Amino acid sequence: MEREILISPEDIRKRVKDLAAKISSDYGGKEPILVGILNGVVFFFSDLVRELTIPVKIDFIRAASYGSQMTSSGTVKISKDVEISVQGKPVLLIEDIVDTGSTLAHIIDNIRNKGADSVKVCAFIDKTERRTKAVPIHYRGFEIEEGFLVGYGLDYNEQYRDLPGIYVLK
Ligand code: PRP
């Protein structure tokens, strides 16, 4: 499949730094729990966390969504839950991409139900075209309207996650 570069590795690095600076300033003295939503988030998560200048705790959650390859059906299940207690703690959810919003909506409910003190969201890509669930995004890397995106953790049939930039598949 052909692909076209959309966000270069250099632009990714700059944006991650900006986001990390803002998060470090907003959460100073609070020691938030950063919860990465697996699997695609691993590259963004590790880049972001290493740019933070505040102490944080980290954990991961995995939501399986069932649907066809280029779309998601909206049926979401937690297949791996957080393992450290979020009760009374500030939680920052980290996503690589928000598309329909179904995954994030489900995970926000899950974390709120565990009694987190606050639940905020940092998403590297906010893809707006197919949004069906209104979800808050407090820290956003890039807003992109449409296109099938791969690279920097994003896959097509588990391919292309390792590309250092973000591409649109043609
Ligand atoms: C992707 C992505 C988000 C979700 C966004 O994960 O990482 O978690 O889809 O889609 P939505 O807004 O329509 O719910 P996916 O379930 O494909 O798993 P992956 O991270 O392992 O690729």
Side-chain angles (χ1 to χ4, degrees):
M1 248 174 182
E2 279 189 55
R3 57 180 191 255
E4 198 172 88
I5 186 85
L6 199 63
I7 309 172
S8 70
E10 186 52 32
D11 286 345
I12 289 176
R13 266 193 295 278
K14 284 186 198 151
R15 197 69 194 109
V16 169
K17 276 194 172 208
D18 292 346
L19 290 170
K22 183 81 171 81
I23 291 167
S24 299
S25 147
D26 291 355
Y27 281 94
K30 290 189 184 147
E31 197 168 300
I33 301 176
L34 268 58
V35 174
I37 302 176
L38 297 170
N39 286 345
V41 82
V42 294
F43 302 88
F44 174 49
F45 191 90
S46 75
D47 286 349
L48 182 76
V49 170
R50 288 175 300 166
E51 289 290 344
L52 296 173
T53 56
I54 55 164
V56 296
K57 290 183 174 156
I58 65 164
D59 204 346
F60 296 92
I61 193 166
R62 174 134 173 80
S65 61
Y66 301 95
S68 61
Q69 288 166 355
M70 304 277 283
T71 62
S72 42
S73 66
T75 311
V76 179
K77 278 186 193 163
I78 305 287
S79 54
K80 183 233 168 289
D81 211 337
V82 288
E83 291 169 38
I84 54 182
S85 173
V86 298
Q87 168 95 44
K89 300 280 167 48
V91 172
L92 181 59
L93 294 170
I94 315 289
E95 256 293 23
D96 49 352
I97 187 166
V98 181
D99 187 6
T100 64
S102 303
T103 304
L104 199 51
H106 191 83
I107 289 176
I108 290 172
D109 282 351
N110 174 290
I111 299 293
R112 283 208 179 116
N113 289 340
K114 293 182 196 299
D117 176 55
S118 65
V119 184
K120 288 190 174 178
V121 173
C122 171
F124 192 64
I125 304 281
D126 177 7
K127 188 153 138 335
T128 54
E129 180 193 34
R130 301 191 312 125
R131 188 71 37 85
T132 52
K133 291 260 165 70
V135 283
I137 301 179
H138 305 86
Y139 305 93
R140 172 187 287 104
F142 295 90
E143 183 176 325
I144 289 166
E145 197 189 336
E146 58 184 359
F148 196 93
L149 309 180
V150 297
Y152 199 54
L154 303 174
D155 75 306
Y156 170 65
N157 276 346
E158 296 303 328
Q159 258 190 298
Y160 309 118
R161 290 195 198 269
D162 52 326
L163 295 174
I166 290 190
Y167 294 77
V168 60
L169 280 191
K170 295 287 174 186

